Amino acid sequence: MEPRTLAKVEVPVEGMTCASCAARIQRGLDGVDGVAEANVNYATSRATVTYDPAQVAPAALVRTIGDLGYRVPEVEAENPEADEARAVMRRLVPAAILTLPLLLVSMVEAWQWEGWEWFALALATPVVWWAGWTFHRVAIAGARHRQVGMDTLISIGTAAAWTWSLVALLRDDGYIYFEVAAVITTLLLLGRYLEARARGASAQALRTLLALGAKTARLENGDEIPIASLEVGDRFVVRPGEKIATDGVVVEGESALDTSMLTGEPVPVDVRTGDEVFGATLNTSGRLVVEARRVGADTALAQVARLVEAAQGAKAPVQHLADRISGIFVPAVLVIAAVTLGGWLLAGEPAADAFTAAVSVLIIACPCALGLATPTAIMVGTGRGAQLGIVIRGGDVFERAQRVEAIVLDKTGTITEGRMELVAVITTDDTDEPEALQLVGSAEDASEHPLARAIADGARARGIALTTPTNFVNEAGVGVTATVDGHDVAAGRTSVFDAVTPALMTAADEAYASGRTAVFGGWNGKARAVFVISDAVKRTARAAVDALHDLGLEVVMATGDAASTARRVAGE
């Protein structure tokens, strides 16, 4: 018998309000014949289903989700979290406007007049039955499938408070609780709105990450095509200042690439024929021809994005416990509420008091913090981490954090600023610093290389007015030449000059020995200055390391940079 060929499909799901919703959908999908495995991610609002195409079609999976009271959009929205937040806001604003006067008139005795209860009924009814319909809809759908969740408690609790209040009003006997039903509905809608905003920020971090990539690729024949149309084996051209379209190998040209979006290192990496390059990295100087080796979901950038998304949906051990408890939590609350009602009645207490006690049990249990707070905290934590450039591998990381004894910090971009800055200018005896900054800075201003930008920006920061160079030439990995104010200016390695004094060579050696970078600059064939460039330590780094030490943590710095640079930064 031949083994089954399984397929996998990802389906966006709208309408989930808590972890119990995800568990309900997952159980429903698992019960479909032909489904090998279903995983519903509440954080990303997606269901991933592995199924046998010979037994079940994707349309049947969509129908199953619909039967459970949730929606699968025909066209997935670009920003579903923002759409969800706006939808909740449309109900939240009217609910808040109606609930505020309802709460005041119900709680402030001086504001109550004869017949104010009917006014309270008029305010509470649209809040409970229109603004809160999202809770009732999911509860009804769950009841049809004999399943309960957090929305069941919310629906029963608010409906019971409203119904009892209406009965008491019509009988003119007992307390009314219209404000309780309205306030609970409004507060829970506010919670849903804030949660949707948090999920939106989390998802936006992923979208921002993917947006780092190039949108088009320029083929060798001059055609410009969308990235999605690029195939393995295609050759594309990358000009200075453009992003690499996708992962590949250089087949022609030399240049320096800014790979900081992947490595965090600010110093460009020189590449030439045969070197591997990665999509979304920036070509700073020469023209390259690259042969595509990985496209689409196989690129390094896409893999990083998948890591972030997987981390957001990963469950910590405590979350598995929360899911198990939430499965019996709602039925237990309903039983306790029923026992409370029966117990008070058997004890001979008034029906109004008995019903009040039972409704109190339901209302207090409504938020179901155990099933909601745990996945939300993990989701927000991983999303905020992604925004700050931190990829958190999974929810279990948060749980293990309390047992951490040592912390390893990357140097570039974490302890340091992650960008190159001009920190010193050493000149020959016959050259003054402003002149060197003006001439060399003007030449470097035409280049996109990070070291060149550091010199040009450093000159401007020192009050030097730069001019536009002519005859500009950029030789990848060597340096630049240009004409500035009648002088033939050069900057880069010693090979671009006819003469370099021993004093400048010593200054450059000292810069390299201290973990900094040195660029020679001069004009008319003679090197006249050394520009010392460094990735400066962040002003907050010392305080951050001190704070970690105060927590009792051992702090270690890791870097792929030169040992001299590592020692300098560690010393600072």
Side-chain angles (χ1 to χ4, degrees):
M1 182 177 178
E2 295 185 1
R4 293 184 302 169
T5 301
L6 299 179
K8 180 180 288 188
V9 64
E10 281 195 4
V11 182
V13 181
E14 294 180 350
M16 287 194 292
T17 58
C18 67
S20 296
C21 295
R24 180 186 304 164
I25 298 172
Q26 187 164 315
R27 286 194 298 269
L29 292 172
D30 282 334
V32 176
D33 291 337
V35 172
E37 182 183 8
N39 181 34
V40 181
N41 189 330
Y42 168 59
T44 58
S45 297
R46 302 185 73 83
T48 304
V49 185
T50 304
Y51 65 99
D52 184 355
Q55 291 185 268
V56 63
L61 304 176
V62 172
R63 283 196 301 272
T64 299
I65 295 173
D67 291 341
L68 291 170
Y70 304 92
R71 300 177 300 279
V72 176
E74 294 184 4
V75 178
E76 188 173 3
E78 292 185 4
N79 193 344
E81 296 81 13
D83 294 342
E84 180 184 352
R86 284 192 292 268
V88 175
M89 179 61 77
R90 284 194 292 269
R91 294 180 182 269
L92 172 61
V93 171
I97 293 174
L98 295 172
T99 298
L100 181 58
L102 171 60
L103 182 62
L104 292 175
V105 76
S106 300
M107 303 301 293
V108 181
E109 189 173 351
W111 289 9
Q112 296 174 358
W113 63 90
E114 185 176 353
W116 67 270
E117 296 90 348
W118 295 97
F119 176 68
L121 170 64
L123 293 176
T125 300
V127 176
V128 173
W129 298 110
W130 175 77
W133 177 247
T134 179
F135 307 119
H136 305 308
R137 177 182 56 80
V138 176
I140 293 170
R144 289 204 306 264
H145 294 270
R146 298 180 181 179
Q147 295 178 344
V148 295
M150 187 183 75
D151 293 285
T152 305
L153 288 181
I154 298 170
S155 178
I156 293 177
T158 55
W162 183 90
T163 302
W164 172 257
S165 299
L166 178 60
V167 171
L169 179 58
L170 294 174
R171 292 176 54 188
D172 195 21
D173 177 28
Y175 297 101
I176 64 171
Y177 301 99
F178 289 124
E179 80 282 0
V180 174
V183 168
I184 286 295
T185 301
T186 303
L187 288 179
L188 287 170
L189 284 173
L190 175 61
R192 294 283 165 86
Y193 172 73
L194 295 176
E195 182 187 358
R197 288 285 302 272
R199 293 171 65 196
S202 176
Q204 184 59 38
L206 279 175
R207 285 189 284 269
T208 301
L209 187 62
L210 292 172
L212 293 174
K215 302 298 184 291
T216 60
R218 188 183 306 275
L219 301 181
E220 275 190 302
N221 61 10
D223 293 341
E224 190 167 347
I225 62 173
I227 289 297
S229 302
L230 198 63
E231 298 180 355
V232 173
D234 286 346
R235 292 190 175 193
F236 57 91
V237 177
V238 189
R239 297 176 300 189
E242 294 181 340
K243 291 181 179 179
I244 305 294
T246 192
D247 297 0
V249 173
V250 177
V251 294
E252 181 183 322
E254 294 184 1
S255 185
L257 298 186
D258 179 357
T259 61
S260 58
M261 55 79 58
L262 279 178
T263 66
E265 296 296 334
V267 179
V269 176
D270 292 332
V271 295
R272 52 184 54 85
T273 301
D275 288 343
E276 186 177 14
V277 294
F278 298 95
T281 55
L282 183 66
N283 181 23
T284 65
S285 49
R287 177 183 181 275
L288 296 175
V289 178
V290 179
E291 182 178 307
R293 293 292 175 88
R294 290 185 296 273
V295 297
D298 296 328
T299 64
L301 180 63
Q303 291 176 35
V304 171
R306 281 200 300 274
L307 282 173
V308 176
E309 185 172 3
Q312 289 181 337
K315 293 184 177 181
V318 70
Q319 191 173 350
H320 287 291
L321 175 63
D323 289 344
R324 289 196 298 270
I325 293 176
S326 65
I328 62 173
F329 179 75
V330 175
V333 170
L334 295 176
V335 170
I336 293 171
V339 170
T340 301
L341 176 64
W344 279 63
L345 292 174
L346 289 175
E349 299 294 335
D353 293 345
F355 195 82
T356 298
V359 170
S360 297
V361 172
L362 295 173
I363 293 296
I364 291 171
C366 273
C368 189
L370 185 64
L372 179 64
T374 303
T376 300
I378 292 173
M379 173 193 65
V380 173
T382 53
R384 181 58 179 157
Q387 285 182 310
L388 298 173
I390 304 169
V391 179
I392 299 172
R393 191 180 61 189
D396 58 318
V397 172
F398 294 105
E399 195 167 335
R400 295 203 310 269
Q402 63 178 330
R403 300 192 297 272
V404 168
E405 296 178 353
I407 184 167
V408 180
L409 300 176
D410 180 41
K411 176 184 69 68
T412 306
T414 302
I415 296 175
T416 67
E417 293 288 352
R419 64 178 184 274
M420 306 306 287
E421 295 180 357
L422 180 64
V423 296
V425 180
I426 297 96
T427 63
T428 55
D429 294 337
D430 59 345
T431 305
D432 59 31
E433 182 175 318
E435 182 184 19
L437 283 169
Q438 196 276 325
L439 292 174
V440 178
S442 296
E444 293 281 45
D445 197 33
S447 173
E448 294 297 326
H449 196 287
L451 297 180
R453 300 310 317 159
I455 295 174
D457 293 343
R460 287 194 179 92
R462 290 161 173 78
I464 304 298
L466 303 183
T467 57
T468 302
T470 58
N471 304 321
F472 176 81
V473 176
N474 185 359
E475 186 176 354
V478 178
V480 304
T481 58
T483 302
V484 180
D485 297 338
H487 297 284
D488 295 328
V489 180
R493 300 182 185 275
T494 56
S495 57
V496 298
F497 301 102
D498 298 331
V500 181
T501 65
L504 290 183
M505 292 297 297
T506 300
D509 291 341
E510 290 176 350
Y512 284 116
S514 64
R516 294 179 168 89
T517 300
V519 175
F520 291 89
W523 50 93
N524 302 333
K526 180 181 178 182
R528 301 173 185 269
V530 167
F531 298 84
V532 180
I533 300 169
S534 175
D535 182 10
V537 174
K538 289 182 179 179
R539 292 188 298 272
T540 57
R542 180 186 294 273
V545 172
D546 287 343
L548 292 171
H549 282 148
D550 292 341
L551 292 173
L553 296 173
E554 178 186 358
V555 184
V556 179
M557 185 182 73
T559 180
D561 212 336
S564 57
T565 303
R567 283 193 294 269
R568 175 183 62 81
V569 173
E572 291 186 32

